C-alpha cells in the first residue's frame, strides 16, 4: 500500500483499540481492490472525543468507525444521524460529507445481512429470542423489528434491563409482540418450543464459559447465532451442534457491519468473502 497526497483516510476511534480487527479487514480490502484509502486505529480517550471528532472535519478524514466507549457519546458531536442509529441510540460509523458529519449504525444491519447471506434466514414471520440486553442486543433488536420479526423476546441476567429494553421499543414497534424473560432455565424451557432463532448477545463464551441453556427444548429447525467471534466456536455453538441445531458464529456480523461501513465511505461493494477469510485466518492463529 503506497500512501500519497491523494490517499483517503478512514479509521476507528476507541479506547482501548489494540484489539480491533477492523484495520486488518479494511486495509486488506483497499489493497485488493486497488483503492487509494487507508484505515488507521486511533486510541481516543473519552475526554478527547470532541476534539477527535472535530479533527475528522479539519483533516478531511473520509469516515470512521466508533467502538467502545464512544458509540453513544459521539452522537452529541455529529451534525445528523440516520433513523436506525437514532432508534438504537448509538453510532458505529461516521461519514464526512463536505465537513458535515453523518452518523450511522451498521451493527444491527450487519447482523441481518449475515442472517440473509450466511443462513438464508429472514426475520419475517419468525419468533426470536435474544439472550442479553446490552449495546449489541439493542442494535439487533431494532434491526429485527425493522426487518419484520413479529415476535421478539429478550432474556437477561439482570432482568430489569430486559424489561426496560422491551418497554422502550414496545411503543415504537406496536406490531411486534415483545416480552422480557428472566434468564433461568425453567422459564426458558416453556418458551423455547416456538423459537426459530436464538441469539446470544452476551459476552459469555469469550472465556470458554457457557450459559448452559436448555437447547433440547428448541425445535430441530432452530438456528443458534452466537455474536461472539473469538473464539470462533464457543461452548454454546458446540452444544448447539451436539443438539443437532444449526449454529453460527459472530464473524458474519463483524464482516457485514464492516462491509456496510466500507460501502458508505467508498460507494463500492466490499468483497465480504475476502473480509471473512482474512479475519478467520487471524482468529485461528
Ligand atoms: N460479532 C460482532 O460483530 C459483534 C458486535 C458487537 C458485539 N459483539 C460481542 O457481543 C458481546 C456483547 O457486547 P455488548 O457491546 O452488547 O456488551 P454490553 O453492552 O456490555 O452487554 C453485555 C451483556 O452480556 C451480559 N453478561 C455479561 N456477563 C454475563 C454472565 N456472566 N452471565 C450472563 N450474562 C452476562 C450482560 O448482562 P447484565 O445486563 O446482567 O450485565 C449484558 O446483557 C461481546 O462479546 C462483543 O464482543 C460482537
Amino acid at each position: 500500500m503506497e500512501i500519497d497526497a491523494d490517499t483517503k483516510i478512514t479509521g476507528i476511534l476507541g479506547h482501548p483499540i489494540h484489539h480491533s480487527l477492523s484495520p486488518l479487514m479494511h486495509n486488506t480490502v483497499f489493497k485488493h481492490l486497488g483503492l487509494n484509502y487507508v484505515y488507521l486505529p486511533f486510541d481516543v480517550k473519552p475526554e478527547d472525543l470532541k476534539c477527535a471528532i472535530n479533527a475528522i472535519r479539519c483533516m478531511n478524514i473520509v469516515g470512521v468507525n466508533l467502538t467502545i466507549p464512544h458509540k453513544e457519546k459521539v452522537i452529541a458531536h455529529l451534525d445528523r444521524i440516520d433513523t436506525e442509529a437514532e432508534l438504537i441510540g448509538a453510532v458505529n460509523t461516521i461519514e464526512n460529507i463536505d465537513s458535515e458529519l453523518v452518523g450511522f449504525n451498521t451493527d444491527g444491519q450487519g447482523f441481518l445481512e449475515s442472517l440473509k447471506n450466511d443462513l438464508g434466514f429472514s426475520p419475517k414471520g419468525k419468533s426470536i429470542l435474544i439472550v442479553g440486553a446490552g449495546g449489541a442486543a439493542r442494535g439487533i433488536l431494532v434491526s429485527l423489528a425493522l426487518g419484520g420479526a413479529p415476535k421478539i423476546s429478550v432474556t437477561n441476567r439482570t432482568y430489569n434491563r430486559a424489561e426496560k429494553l422491551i418497554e422502550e421499543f414496545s411503543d415504537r414497534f406496536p406490531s411486534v409482540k415483545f416480552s422480557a424473560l428472566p434468564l433461568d432455565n425453567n422459564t426458558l424451557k416453556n418458551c423455547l418450543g416456538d423459537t426459530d432463532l436464538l441469539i446470544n448477545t452476551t459476552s459469555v463464551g469469550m472465556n470458554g464459559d457457557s450459559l448452559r441453556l436448555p437447547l433440547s427444548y428448541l425445535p430441530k429447525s432452530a438456528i443458534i447465532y452466537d455474536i461472539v467471534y473469538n473464539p470462533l466456536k464457543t461452548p454454546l455453538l458446540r452444544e448447539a451442534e451436539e443438539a443437532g441445531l444449526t449454529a453460527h458464529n459472530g464473524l458474519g456480523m463483524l464482516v457485514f457491519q464492516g462491509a456496510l461501513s466500507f460501502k458508505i465511505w467508498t460507494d463500492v461493494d466490499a468483497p465480504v468473502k475476502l473480509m471473512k477469510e482474512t479475519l478467520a485466518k487471524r482468529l485461528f492463529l
Side-chain angles (χ1 to χ4, degrees), residues 97-114:
I97 310 170
D98 300 327
S99 287
E100 185 190 31
L101 300 188
V102 186
F104 301 87
N105 192 314
T106 66
D107 282 332
Q109 272 305 323
F111 176 75
L112 276 199
E113 284 293 308
S114 171

Side-chain angles (χ1 to χ4, degrees), residues 153-226:
S153 307
V154 178
T155 181
N156 194 47
R157 176 179 63 179
T158 311
Y159 174 64
N160 76 341
R161 272 187 99 183
E163 260 188 330
K164 267 191 168 161
L165 199 60
I166 291 312
E167 265 171 38
E168 181 180 345
F169 288 107
S170 294
D171 286 347
R172 298 187 191 192
F173 297 106
S175 61
V176 180
K177 188 171 175 243
F178 285 110
S179 50
L181 304 166
L183 183 52
D184 84 72
N185 281 357
N186 279 334
T187 309
L188 293 181
K189 278 175 189 171
N190 295 327
C191 85
L192 287 182
D194 78 333
T195 299
D196 300 299
L197 171 67
L198 181 153
I199 310 152
N200 174 48
T201 70
T202 75
S203 45
V204 177
M206 290 182 78
N207 299 320
D209 301 335
S210 167
L211 288 169
R212 302 202 178 284
L213 301 170
L215 301 182
S216 60
Y217 286 79
L218 285 161
K220 283 290 172 213
S221 57
I223 293 174
I224 308 292
Y225 198 120
D226 194 338

